[in-house]
Amino acid sequence: MLDIWFTENHTEGYKVSWRIDKILHSERSRFQEIAVVESPDLGRALLLDNTVQTTTRFEFIYHEMIAHVPLMIHPRPQRVMVIGGGDGGTVREVLKHPTVETVELVEIDERVIQVSKEWLPQLSSALNSDRVKILTVDGLQYVKEKAAHYDVIIVDCTDPGGPSLALFTKDFYQDVYNALTEDGIMVSQTGSPTFSPHFVEAVKGIRQVFPCSSPYLTCEPSYIAGFWSFTAGSKKYALDTVNQDRMAAITTRYYTPEIHRAAFVLPKHIQEQIK
Ligand code: SAM
């Protein structure tokens, strides 16, 4: 049993630390440092380049909110693409929707998938489903080659940096728009509205491309204290639409239709930020 403290530096002056009992895995892939550690309070955590990606105790909040919000807005989601998301948590939630026929997981780093399969079965077991197609390529390039094909595209990538940097630009959102069907919906994780310098830029980029768009908020204790944001863009449907009858088939621990609508109600200071 170790008594090491993991520290994530968010800004020059703001750090968050929590204790690690065990380092279960550590390696350097072609793209990043990958580690899985055990924490007494967060469960198992996946770290990429020393940044928390997910923890087994709280992952349900993030994964339910990134997946069920767009899927419940769409009347009949059948074809879904997830960019990033190699841990499998988002795909697991997408597969809860019986209308979904195929989920393409477009993850640049094959090692994230393999490490998650070994150490995070609670998330990754969904990747074995025959409705899932895994592509280990750059989502930026992959989405460019597609036209009017997907009902929902979910961008579950790392915070902006390295290969994920371009996934927060207007040009990328335009490619996502083109890859969606005429009533398609996208969602991207857009980080901490408090500490991420890319939050406002991402929200504005999605707004420039989609006729209907908005950030929505949750609190996920594994990440930076306070709000965590996602931003949705829709071609046709209002974002507070919830096809409520479908809830009967879906088991969740955090997401409800009420949470869905409430998440789009933004505090005044965040409304000011994105004006
Ligand atoms: N929930 C997470 C968080 O903390 O934001 C994201 C988790 S998921 C592990 C993020 C994944 O995005 C990583 O495995 C990373 O390899 C992948 N990724 C980054 N840039 C990418 C790109 N351009 N195309 C596809 N996947 C990418």
Side-chain angles (χ1 to χ4, degrees):
M1 187 92 120
L2 301 170
D3 184 15
I4 301 173
W5 282 73
F6 166 76
T7 297
E8 191 173 346
N9 297 330
H10 296 303
T11 69
E12 287 298 307
Y14 182 79
K15 302 175 178 193
V16 172
S17 295
W18 37 270
R19 210 180 79 210
I20 296 175
D21 284 346
K22 266 191 212 150
I23 299 171
L24 299 167
H25 182 86
S26 167
E27 70 173 70
R28 164 104 218 147
S29 74
R30 266 177 66 210
F31 298 97
Q32 52 215 339
E33 298 282 347
I34 307 176
V36 180
V37 299
E38 186 94 47
S39 141
D41 297 310
L42 304 176
R44 283 190 186 179
L46 173 67
L47 312 176
L48 295 180
D49 288 337
N50 244 24
T51 304
V52 185
Q53 300 299 302
T54 193
T55 67
T56 52
R57 177 154 179 210
F58 295 115
E59 56 86 10
F60 68 97
I61 302 173
Y62 175 97
H63 291 123
E64 288 183 16
M65 288 302 279
I66 201 170
H68 299 306
V69 169
L71 288 161
M72 291 299 281
I73 295 169
H74 198 283
R76 195 173 160 75
Q78 289 171 286
R79 287 189 286 224
V80 179
M81 183 198 296
V82 176
I83 297 177
D87 51 71
T90 298
V91 168
R92 181 195 62 204
E93 295 305 313
V94 171
L95 290 174
K96 288 181 180 173
H97 292 254
T99 57
V100 171
E101 290 168 0
T102 54
V103 191
E104 291 181 9
L105 178 79
V106 186
E107 163 62 64
I108 201 167
D109 191 344
E110 192 185 358
R111 289 302 304 155
V112 173
I113 298 172
Q114 294 311 328
V115 170
S116 301
K117 281 190 171 171
E118 186 170 357
W119 295 104
L120 302 167
Q122 166 185 326
L123 293 93
S124 59
S125 52
L127 299 178
N128 298 325
S129 162
D130 55 13
R131 288 191 284 160
V132 178
K133 186 174 169 201
I134 298 178
L135 300 115
T136 47
V137 295
D138 188 340
L140 184 72
Q141 297 308 322
Y142 188 75
V143 92
K144 266 190 212 305
E145 293 151 19
K146 303 286 168 181
H149 184 72
Y150 302 90
D151 301 310
V152 173
I153 296 180
I154 299 174
V155 187
D156 180 14
C157 64
T158 33
D159 291 339
S164 66
L165 192 58
L167 304 182
F168 291 82
T169 59
K170 183 181 166 251
D171 288 352
F172 169 69
Y173 300 136
Q174 186 62 58
D175 291 336
V176 169
Y177 182 97
N178 297 342
L180 287 165
T181 49
E182 62 181 15
D183 61 352
I185 297 160
M186 78 155 283
V187 164
S188 178
Q189 77 94 352
T190 41
S192 161
T194 317
F195 289 109
S196 170
H198 298 270
F199 166 69
V200 172
E201 199 186 310
V203 169
K204 289 187 176 169
I206 294 173
R207 191 191 292 158
Q208 283 169 344
V209 171
F210 286 83
C212 186
S213 78
S214 175
Y216 61 97
L217 303 175
T218 189
C219 292
E220 213 284 33
S222 324
Y223 302 136
I224 304 166
F227 291 121
W228 193 258
S229 77
F230 304 93
T231 302
S234 168
K235 288 191 177 183
K236 187 167 161 188
Y237 307 114
L239 300 173
D240 59 0
T241 311
V242 184
N243 288 281
Q244 207 143 330
D245 49 319
R246 296 217 315 270
M247 270 318 281
I250 295 161
T251 309
T252 56
R253 290 174 66 201
Y254 184 86
Y255 178 91
T256 62
E258 294 76 18
I259 288 275
H260 177 132
R261 294 187 195 101
F264 284 99
V265 179
L266 304 176
K268 250 172 113 176
H269 75 285
I270 294 180
Q271 290 181 35
E272 292 292 328
Q273 237 180 305
I274 58 169
K275 244 186 198 161

